[in-house]
Amino acid sequence: MRHWHLWGVLAVHYMHHSKFDSAKWAFKQGEKRGGYSDFILARARLLLDACDKNGLLLSAGDNNGYSVWYVQVMENYRTENQY
């Protein structure tokens, strides 16, 4: 098991403390461990695209949340709704 989700937890911790460079590093470590496939990232973008500008996305589970935060932080995608 690659434990990529633990890197997502760490990234969120860093984001909560406004340490965005560290959050990017943690997400990159999770990516190296197979945590963010093209399919998962495409799904995260679709979830964000379904939201109105400045809308609220409620997510059931960390796996959805980590991938959404990943595309927002790493790809600067739909950041108006960030955290």
Side-chain angles (χ1 to χ4, degrees), residues 39-51 77-78:
F39 174 79
I40 295 297
L41 296 180
R43 185 173 178 275
R45 288 184 211 97
L46 287 173
L47 286 170
L48 287 169
D49 289 342
C51 295
Y77 191 84
R78 293 292 310 264

Side-chain angles (χ1 to χ4, degrees), residues 2 4 7 26-36 41 70 74:
R2 297 180 180 182
W4 63 267
W7 294 100
F27 274 132
K28 197 61 154 169
Q29 297 305 308
E31 179 183 11
K32 287 180 184 178
R33 287 154 177 82
Y36 306 102
L41 296 180
Y70 179 94
M74 299 300 286

Side-chain angles (χ1 to χ4, degrees), residues 37-69:
S37 68
D38 291 340
F39 174 79
I40 295 297
L41 296 180
R43 185 173 178 275
R45 288 184 211 97
L46 287 173
L47 286 170
L48 287 169
D49 289 342
C51 295
D52 291 334
K53 184 174 181 171
N54 297 315
L56 178 65
L57 173 64
L58 300 177
S59 173
D62 294 338
N63 290 339
N64 290 328
Y66 296 145
S67 59
V68 166
W69 284 322

Side-chain angles (χ1 to χ4, degrees), residues 11-27:
V12 172
H13 170 79
Y14 284 138
M15 289 188 314
H16 179 72
H17 292 284
S18 299
K19 297 180 179 181
F20 297 105
D21 288 339
S22 296
K24 288 180 180 183
W25 171 82
F27 274 132

